[in-house]
Amino acid sequence: MTDNSERWGIVYVPKAGVSNAQKRWNQIRSYLEFRGVKYDFVQSNGEGSVERITRLLIDSGHTTIVVIGGDEALNDAINAIMFTPREVRQNLYLGLVPNGIGNDFADFWGLDTDDYKKAIHRIIEHNSRPIDVGYCSYQENGEQKVRYFLMAVNIGLGAQAIRLSDICRRWGKINPSYLWALFSLFRERKEYKMRFRVNSEDVSERIMTLCIGNSRGYGLTPSAVPYNGWLDVSQVCRPKGWQTIRGLYLLLHNQFLNYEQVKPYRTKQIEILQSEGTMTCLDGRTLVHTFPLTISLEPSAVNFIINS
């Protein structure tokens, strides 16, 4: 087999809703060539292709996998990596150049969507650290499945807000933020009957949203970091009308845990036993499943390239 260990394996995912995606890639390609980077490049051609491309690059001997894309593309790549044998995975390195409609994981690490040169420079420097990867075990059509995640699993209102935000950003130039999407749903203040088990505590309550974060969780788990071996959980109950604005203010200022309607947990595992009429979103993607869900994490599972 050809030795590709010194070459980057690049997965390029064009940004949704952009008419001239080739222009973006030409800019990135010119800078890669200017910096003398050796690489092999494959462009995604639709849903499911990122996982296939990532597996192909790993099987071809590439040890540095670079995703040029957003949160959903990164989630696909991490699932391909996590289903790789451990002895192979421990020698893989994952780099990120943000290029999606949602780039929350990139933002967590201080990567700006417009500054692709900074991201590429970081990968060239090749400083890395092991990061935790969350996973969700569930059933779909009677089949047991596992899906990995880097950011969060959201159930209820939070999941609806993420999907609404993505839909808005895919259409037109007026792109309401996640905050506006959440505000629209907060005004409804819809509750869902949920039952879950966390840290030997059985909880059965009416809840607006439940967020299980391996990192910030779109602001709902602001203290979560993907390198401490823990998941953060935010249980959000229905606020009174006047409390809604305060909750959104705290969310915007990364202080959501100070909100009186939030009950936080820190755990290694949580089981969602029942949740009536809710949507579940994993790293921005809707998850089709039946309950129960078991959500846990694998500590120090992937080598992620970070700033020096």
Side-chain angles (χ1 to χ4, degrees):
M1 183 175 67
T2 304
D3 182 9
N4 288 319
S5 60
E6 299 301 317
R7 302 176 67 86
W8 295 4
I10 295 180
V11 186
Y12 177 62
V13 185
K15 186 175 181 180
V18 174
S19 58
N20 192 358
Q22 193 61 39
K23 179 180 178 181
R24 171 75 164 177
W25 167 244
N26 288 338
Q27 292 172 334
I28 294 172
R29 181 184 61 189
S30 295
Y31 188 67
L32 289 169
E33 292 173 355
F34 171 73
R35 295 298 303 269
V37 175
K38 297 178 180 179
Y39 65 91
D40 292 311
F41 152 82
V42 185
Q43 181 170 319
S44 166
N45 58 6
E47 186 174 350
S49 64
V50 172
E51 285 191 53
R52 293 194 300 272
I53 294 168
T54 304
R55 285 195 295 267
L56 172 66
L57 292 170
I58 294 171
D59 291 343
S60 300
H62 296 83
T63 57
T64 299
I65 304 298
V66 177
V67 175
I68 304 177
D71 292 332
E72 291 188 13
L74 186 62
N75 179 265
D76 286 341
I78 206 70
N79 273 273
I81 291 171
M82 290 302 295
F83 283 108
T84 300
R86 183 183 294 271
E87 61 271 18
V88 176
R89 193 203 320 156
Q90 65 186 7
N91 295 314
L92 295 177
Y93 295 85
L94 176 63
L96 174 63
V97 179
N99 190 49
I101 60 170
N103 300 283
D104 293 270
F105 198 72
D107 180 67
F108 176 85
W109 295 98
L111 288 172
D112 190 327
T113 308
D114 296 325
D115 193 358
Y116 61 86
K117 293 181 180 180
K118 176 181 177 181
I120 291 170
H121 175 74
R122 176 182 293 188
I123 301 168
I124 292 171
E125 291 292 306
H126 219 272
N127 296 298
S128 67
R129 72 176 301 167
I131 61 170
D132 307 332
V133 177
Y135 64 87
C136 180
S137 178
Y138 61 99
Q139 283 200 349
E140 181 183 344
N141 298 323
E143 181 182 353
Q144 192 67 32
K145 293 190 175 184
V146 171
R147 186 80 186 171
Y148 292 91
F149 64 94
L150 287 173
M151 293 177 297
V153 177
N154 285 274
I155 304 171
L157 180 144
Q160 292 177 263
I162 292 164
R163 297 312 299 164
L164 176 60
S165 176
D166 282 353
I167 291 169
C168 290
R169 285 183 287 189
R170 287 176 190 270
W171 288 89
K173 296 181 180 180
I174 301 175
N175 297 329
S177 67
Y178 170 69
L179 181 67
W180 174 251
L182 195 60
F183 175 72
S184 300
L185 292 167
F186 253 69
R187 287 187 302 175
E188 299 177 19
R189 292 176 290 146
K190 188 174 181 179
E191 294 179 297
Y192 304 93
K193 185 178 180 181
M194 297 190 195
R195 186 164 64 92
F196 59 91
R197 184 176 297 121
V198 57
N199 297 337
S200 301
E201 180 181 348
D202 288 315
V203 179
S204 181
E205 294 184 20
R206 299 192 68 83
I207 300 168
M208 278 212 321
T209 192
L210 191 68
C211 179
I212 302 96
N214 183 50
S215 62
R216 290 176 186 160
Y218 310 95
L220 296 179
T221 53
S223 297
V225 293
Y227 43 76
N228 65 355
W230 293 92
L231 293 168
D232 280 19
V233 179
S234 290
Q235 171 191 334
V236 185
C237 296
R238 180 178 180 177
K240 297 179 180 179
W242 60 270
Q243 293 175 320
T244 302
I245 300 299
R246 169 173 161 78
L248 292 170
Y249 174 86
L250 293 173
L251 178 68
L252 182 63
H253 290 81
N254 208 33
Q255 300 174 23
F256 196 60
L257 297 183
N258 294 328
Y259 190 34
E260 54 268 29
Q261 300 302 320
V262 174
K263 184 175 182 179
Y265 301 87
R266 181 160 281 178
T267 187
K268 301 285 188 180
Q269 179 174 295
I270 180 171
E271 294 178 85
I272 316 299
L273 304 173
Q274 179 186 9
S275 185
E276 296 180 353
T278 55
M279 176 185 290
T280 299
C281 199
L282 184 149
D283 277 4
R285 179 180 280 107
T286 301
L287 191 68
V288 179
H289 66 90
T290 56
F291 289 99
L293 300 178
T294 300
I295 301 169
S296 189
L297 83 168
E298 187 171 332
S300 302
V302 170
N303 299 310
F304 187 71
I305 299 173
I306 62 169
N307 209 1
S308 56

